[in-house]
Amino acid sequence: LQQKGSQDIKAASDLKQLNDIRVKLLGKKGPITEVLRGMRDLTKEERPAVGSFANKVRDALAEVVDQKKAELEQAKIEQQLATETIDVTLPGDQPKIGAHHVISQVIEQLEDTFLGMGFKVVYGYEVEEEKYNFEMLNMPKDHPARDMQDTFYITKDVLMRTHMSPDEARELEKHDFSQGPLKMVSPGRVYRRDTDDATHSHQFFQMEGQYIGKNVTMADLKGTLEFAIRQIFGEEREIRFRPSYFPFTEPSVEVDISCFKCNGKGCDVCKHTGWIEVLGAGMTHPNVLKAAGVDPEIYGGFAFGLGIDRFAMLKYGIDDIRNFYQNDVRFLTQFEKRG
Ligand code: FA5
């Protein structure tokens, strides 16, 4: 029995088969248990010899089972290691990563351009006090110019900012002119009760800028804006300055950029006139300086507010501003840049 049993055990090809053999040989219904059970029929003298022999056979077989079990387990681990090996030299899967929104990309380009000209970048408040959005910008209560920017009010004195100019007032108020001139830009989201169409949105982006110091002139305004526009658009486009009106600047201008892709099928965003207005600017009004505690007899300068969405539309030939806010992945992925 011991010899046959050992052979069977050694021939087992997997753990399940081994267990079946073990049960057959050593289990409750196995031959050894049967011998031990039959001991009661033996004489007192016979019992120790038969008992110890049966136990010896059982222990020997149990040991062979244990050995075989260890062997099979080891083989299983080795097989697993062989099949689950990772080849680290194989090229990896390219993970799908997100990208900055095209508006964010244009903001970064503008920030870089102005940082390069010595402007600092600041960030203001989307929910703004009426005092900074209008009052300190030479638009007292009931001033008709407030109607130029239809407003979402939160309370009587708090609103969703309608432009980025409140940051001008905030920075002017804070600036220590004994340390030098104030040169800042501020990008951000603004809100107006405008009706959405191809070039207007009720929520869009502007970048405000101002340069206040001694002897800052209209020529500085023109040179700075032309340089910035050329940085973003290159040399191909034409830039034109038109006289305009803003309560917080005097004189005031608006800047248009010429359209680009005019061919047999028509032009891009500015289909009819060939131009699109991208920013408002001017020489800061003395009342704005006074309201912030700055002496207009000593200090002066310029300010501008440019439409970031319009910049992005012109730069990339996008014909509808609503594309920026609909989050259509097919549109957004066109502007992915890697690395
Ligand atoms: C202003 O908001 C002034 N605060 C700009 C300014 C700052 C002038 C400092 C002088 C000194 P305006 O409302 O024109 O101006 O808006 C400025 C630019 O924002 C526009 O030239 C245009 O490019 C963009 N813009 C205005 N309204 C919308 C709109 N509804 N959707 C998308 N872009 C708009």
PDB file of all heavy atoms in Angstrom, residues 287-306:
ATOM      1  N   ASN A 287     -10.029 112.297 -12.906  1.00  0.00           N
ATOM      2  CA  ASN A 287     -10.966 111.940 -11.823  1.00  0.00           C
ATOM      3  C   ASN A 287     -10.702 110.530 -11.277  1.00  0.00           C
ATOM      4  O   ASN A 287     -10.946 110.249 -10.098  1.00  0.00           O
ATOM      5  CB  ASN A 287     -12.415 112.014 -12.310  1.00  0.00           C
ATOM      6  CG  ASN A 287     -12.868 113.446 -12.493  1.00  0.00           C
ATOM      7  OD1 ASN A 287     -12.151 114.378 -12.093  1.00  0.00           O
ATOM      8  ND2 ASN A 287     -14.035 113.633 -13.094  1.00  0.00           N
ATOM      9  N   VAL A 288     -10.223 109.641 -12.141  1.00  0.00           N
ATOM     10  CA  VAL A 288      -9.915 108.273 -11.700  1.00  0.00           C
ATOM     11  C   VAL A 288      -8.703 108.302 -10.769  1.00  0.00           C
ATOM     12  O   VAL A 288      -8.678 107.652  -9.715  1.00  0.00           O
ATOM     13  CB  VAL A 288      -9.647 107.352 -12.916  1.00  0.00           C
ATOM     14  CG1 VAL A 288      -9.189 105.971 -12.473  1.00  0.00           C
ATOM     15  CG2 VAL A 288     -10.883 107.260 -13.793  1.00  0.00           C
ATOM     16  N   LEU A 289      -7.718 109.111 -11.148  1.00  0.00           N
ATOM     17  CA  LEU A 289      -6.512 109.232 -10.314  1.00  0.00           C
ATOM     18  C   LEU A 289      -6.877 109.847  -8.963  1.00  0.00           C
ATOM     19  O   LEU A 289      -6.500 109.323  -7.906  1.00  0.00           O
ATOM     20  CB  LEU A 289      -5.455 110.074 -11.032  1.00  0.00           C
ATOM     21  CG  LEU A 289      -4.940 109.477 -12.356  1.00  0.00           C
ATOM     22  CD1 LEU A 289      -4.096 110.490 -13.118  1.00  0.00           C
ATOM     23  CD2 LEU A 289      -4.124 108.214 -12.090  1.00  0.00           C
ATOM     24  N   LYS A 290      -7.666 110.915  -9.017  1.00  0.00           N
ATOM     25  CA  LYS A 290      -8.062 111.597  -7.776  1.00  0.00           C
ATOM     26  C   LYS A 290      -8.832 110.652  -6.849  1.00  0.00           C
ATOM     27  O   LYS A 290      -8.584 110.607  -5.649  1.00  0.00           O
ATOM     28  CB  LYS A 290      -8.959 112.813  -8.101  1.00  0.00           C
ATOM     29  CG  LYS A 290      -8.162 114.094  -8.378  1.00  0.00           C
ATOM     30  CD  LYS A 290      -9.126 115.274  -8.471  1.00  0.00           C
ATOM     31  CE  LYS A 290      -8.863 116.050  -9.750  1.00  0.00           C
ATOM     32  NZ  LYS A 290      -9.967 116.857 -10.220  1.00  0.00           N
ATOM     33  N   ALA A 291      -9.751 109.898  -7.420  1.00  0.00           N
ATOM     34  CA  ALA A 291     -10.583 108.989  -6.599  1.00  0.00           C
ATOM     35  C   ALA A 291      -9.718 107.974  -5.859  1.00  0.00           C
ATOM     36  O   ALA A 291     -10.070 107.504  -4.778  1.00  0.00           O
ATOM     37  CB  ALA A 291     -11.589 108.266  -7.491  1.00  0.00           C
ATOM     38  N   ALA A 292      -8.548 107.643  -6.435  1.00  0.00           N
ATOM     39  CA  ALA A 292      -7.670 106.654  -5.793  1.00  0.00           C
ATOM     40  C   ALA A 292      -6.587 107.335  -4.951  1.00  0.00           C
ATOM     41  O   ALA A 292      -5.666 106.676  -4.458  1.00  0.00           O
ATOM     42  CB  ALA A 292      -7.024 105.774  -6.871  1.00  0.00           C
ATOM     43  N   GLY A 293      -6.670 108.666  -4.824  1.00  0.00           N
ATOM     44  CA  GLY A 293      -5.707 109.387  -3.988  1.00  0.00           C
ATOM     45  C   GLY A 293      -4.383 109.653  -4.685  1.00  0.00           C
ATOM     46  O   GLY A 293      -3.351 109.836  -4.027  1.00  0.00           O
ATOM     47  N   VAL A 294      -4.389 109.662  -6.022  1.00  0.00           N
ATOM     48  CA  VAL A 294      -3.148 109.928  -6.773  1.00  0.00           C
ATOM     49  C   VAL A 294      -3.269 111.335  -7.378  1.00  0.00           C
ATOM     50  O   VAL A 294      -4.315 111.691  -7.939  1.00  0.00           O
ATOM     51  CB  VAL A 294      -2.953 108.876  -7.898  1.00  0.00           C
ATOM     52  CG1 VAL A 294      -1.682 109.159  -8.683  1.00  0.00           C
ATOM     53  CG2 VAL A 294      -2.923 107.467  -7.316  1.00  0.00           C
ATOM     54  N   ASP A 295      -2.205 112.133  -7.273  1.00  0.00           N
ATOM     55  CA  ASP A 295      -2.250 113.526  -7.737  1.00  0.00           C
ATOM     56  C   ASP A 295      -2.085 113.589  -9.260  1.00  0.00           C
ATOM     57  O   ASP A 295      -1.005 113.292  -9.787  1.00  0.00           O
ATOM     58  CB  ASP A 295      -1.118 114.318  -7.048  1.00  0.00           C
ATOM     59  CG  ASP A 295      -1.200 115.800  -7.382  1.00  0.00           C
ATOM     60  OD1 ASP A 295      -1.996 116.175  -8.275  1.00  0.00           O
ATOM     61  OD2 ASP A 295      -0.461 116.572  -6.730  1.00  0.00           O
ATOM     62  N   PRO A 296      -3.143 113.994 -10.000  1.00  0.00           N
ATOM     63  CA  PRO A 296      -3.052 114.017 -11.465  1.00  0.00           C
ATOM     64  C   PRO A 296      -2.125 115.111 -12.001  1.00  0.00           C
ATOM     65  O   PRO A 296      -1.787 115.099 -13.186  1.00  0.00           O
ATOM     66  CB  PRO A 296      -4.499 114.269 -11.912  1.00  0.00           C
ATOM     67  CG  PRO A 296      -5.229 114.772 -10.730  1.00  0.00           C
ATOM     68  CD  PRO A 296      -4.469 114.412  -9.491  1.00  0.00           C
ATOM     69  N   GLU A 297      -1.722 116.035 -11.109  1.00  0.00           N
ATOM     70  CA  GLU A 297      -0.760 117.059 -11.543  1.00  0.00           C
ATOM     71  C   GLU A 297       0.635 116.440 -11.693  1.00  0.00           C
ATOM     72  O   GLU A 297       1.484 116.950 -12.417  1.00  0.00           O
ATOM     73  CB  GLU A 297      -0.676 118.208 -10.512  1.00  0.00           C
ATOM     74  CG  GLU A 297      -1.967 118.987 -10.319  1.00  0.00           C
ATOM     75  CD  GLU A 297      -2.362 119.746 -11.590  1.00  0.00           C
ATOM     76  OE1 GLU A 297      -1.455 120.180 -12.324  1.00  0.00           O
ATOM     77  OE2 GLU A 297      -3.576 119.856 -11.854  1.00  0.00           O
ATOM     78  N   ILE A 298       0.894 115.371 -10.946  1.00  0.00           N
ATOM     79  CA  ILE A 298       2.225 114.752 -10.985  1.00  0.00           C
ATOM     80  C   ILE A 298       2.226 113.471 -11.828  1.00  0.00           C
ATOM     81  O   ILE A 298       3.143 113.233 -12.612  1.00  0.00           O
ATOM     82  CB  ILE A 298       2.718 114.411  -9.549  1.00  0.00           C
ATOM     83  CG1 ILE A 298       2.634 115.654  -8.666  1.00  0.00           C
ATOM     84  CG2 ILE A 298       4.141 113.850  -9.576  1.00  0.00           C
ATOM     85  CD1 ILE A 298       2.926 115.385  -7.216  1.00  0.00           C
ATOM     86  N   TYR A 299       1.191 112.668 -11.620  1.00  0.00           N
ATOM     87  CA  TYR A 299       1.182 111.345 -12.266  1.00  0.00           C
ATOM     88  C   TYR A 299       0.093 111.251 -13.331  1.00  0.00           C
ATOM     89  O   TYR A 299      -0.964 111.871 -13.214  1.00  0.00           O
ATOM     90  CB  TYR A 299       0.967 110.243 -11.221  1.00  0.00           C
ATOM     91  CG  TYR A 299       2.044 110.220 -10.169  1.00  0.00           C
ATOM     92  CD1 TYR A 299       1.795 110.703  -8.890  1.00  0.00           C
ATOM     93  CD2 TYR A 299       3.317 109.730 -10.463  1.00  0.00           C
ATOM     94  CE1 TYR A 299       2.788 110.691  -7.913  1.00  0.00           C
ATOM     95  CE2 TYR A 299       4.317 109.726  -9.499  1.00  0.00           C
ATOM     96  CZ  TYR A 299       4.051 110.201  -8.231  1.00  0.00           C
ATOM     97  OH  TYR A 299       5.038 110.195  -7.291  1.00  0.00           O
ATOM     98  N   GLY A 300       0.368 110.452 -14.312  1.00  0.00           N
ATOM     99  CA  GLY A 300      -0.629 110.209 -15.352  1.00  0.00           C
ATOM    100  C   GLY A 300      -0.202 108.999 -16.154  1.00  0.00           C
ATOM    101  O   GLY A 300       0.889 108.446 -15.950  1.00  0.00           O
ATOM    102  N   GLY A 301      -1.062 108.578 -17.072  1.00  0.00           N
ATOM    103  CA  GLY A 301      -0.668 107.427 -17.881  1.00  0.00           C
ATOM    104  C   GLY A 301      -1.833 106.889 -18.678  1.00  0.00           C
ATOM    105  O   GLY A 301      -2.818 107.580 -18.900  1.00  0.00           O
ATOM    106  N   PHE A 302      -1.709 105.629 -19.068  1.00  0.00           N
ATOM    107  CA  PHE A 302      -2.756 105.061 -19.920  1.00  0.00           C
ATOM    108  C   PHE A 302      -3.309 103.777 -19.337  1.00  0.00           C
ATOM    109  O   PHE A 302      -2.710 103.175 -18.437  1.00  0.00           O
ATOM    110  CB  PHE A 302      -2.232 104.826 -21.341  1.00  0.00           C
ATOM    111  CG  PHE A 302      -1.161 103.755 -21.457  1.00  0.00           C
ATOM    112  CD1 PHE A 302      -1.482 102.405 -21.430  1.00  0.00           C
ATOM    113  CD2 PHE A 302       0.187 104.112 -21.634  1.00  0.00           C
ATOM    114  CE1 PHE A 302      -0.501 101.424 -21.560  1.00  0.00           C
ATOM    115  CE2 PHE A 302       1.167 103.139 -21.772  1.00  0.00           C
ATOM    116  CZ  PHE A 302       0.825 101.799 -21.730  1.00  0.00           C
ATOM    117  N   ALA A 303      -4.475 103.413 -19.877  1.00  0.00           N
ATOM    118  CA  ALA A 303      -5.093 102.144 -19.500  1.00  0.00           C
ATOM    119  C   ALA A 303      -5.726 101.538 -20.741  1.00  0.00           C
ATOM    120  O   ALA A 303      -6.018 102.243 -21.703  1.00  0.00           O
ATOM    121  CB  ALA A 303      -6.155 102.372 -18.434  1.00  0.00           C
ATOM    122  N   PHE A 304      -5.891 100.232 -20.697  1.00  0.00           N
ATOM    123  CA  PHE A 304      -6.571  99.562 -21.822  1.00  0.00           C
ATOM    124  C   PHE A 304      -7.304  98.336 -21.304  1.00  0.00           C
ATOM    125  O   PHE A 304      -6.984  97.812 -20.230  1.00  0.00           O
ATOM    126  CB  PHE A 304      -5.565  99.152 -22.907  1.00  0.00           C
ATOM    127  CG  PHE A 304      -4.523  98.169 -22.435  1.00  0.00           C
ATOM    128  CD1 PHE A 304      -4.763  96.800 -22.455  1.00  0.00           C
ATOM    129  CD2 PHE A 304      -3.288  98.614 -21.952  1.00  0.00           C
ATOM    130  CE1 PHE A 304      -3.798  95.898 -22.007  1.00  0.00           C
ATOM    131  CE2 PHE A 304      -2.327  97.723 -21.512  1.00  0.00           C
ATOM    132  CZ  PHE A 304      -2.574  96.367 -21.533  1.00  0.00           C
ATOM    133  N   GLY A 305      -8.318  97.929 -22.052  1.00  0.00           N
ATOM    134  CA  GLY A 305      -9.040  96.693 -21.719  1.00  0.00           C
ATOM    135  C   GLY A 305      -9.256  95.933 -23.005  1.00  0.00           C
ATOM    136  O   GLY A 305      -9.953  96.420 -23.897  1.00  0.00           O
ATOM    137  N   LEU A 306      -8.622  94.783 -23.127  1.00  0.00           N
ATOM    138  CA  LEU A 306      -8.740  94.050 -24.402  1.00  0.00           C
ATOM    139  C   LEU A 306      -9.597  92.806 -24.248  1.00  0.00           C
ATOM    140  O   LEU A 306      -9.648  92.185 -23.189  1.00  0.00           O
ATOM    141  CB  LEU A 306      -7.346  93.740 -24.965  1.00  0.00           C
ATOM    142  CG  LEU A 306      -6.370  92.822 -24.248  1.00  0.00           C
ATOM    143  CD1 LEU A 306      -6.681  91.375 -24.534  1.00  0.00           C
ATOM    144  CD2 LEU A 306      -4.965  93.155 -24.710  1.00  0.00           C
TER     145      LEU A 306
END
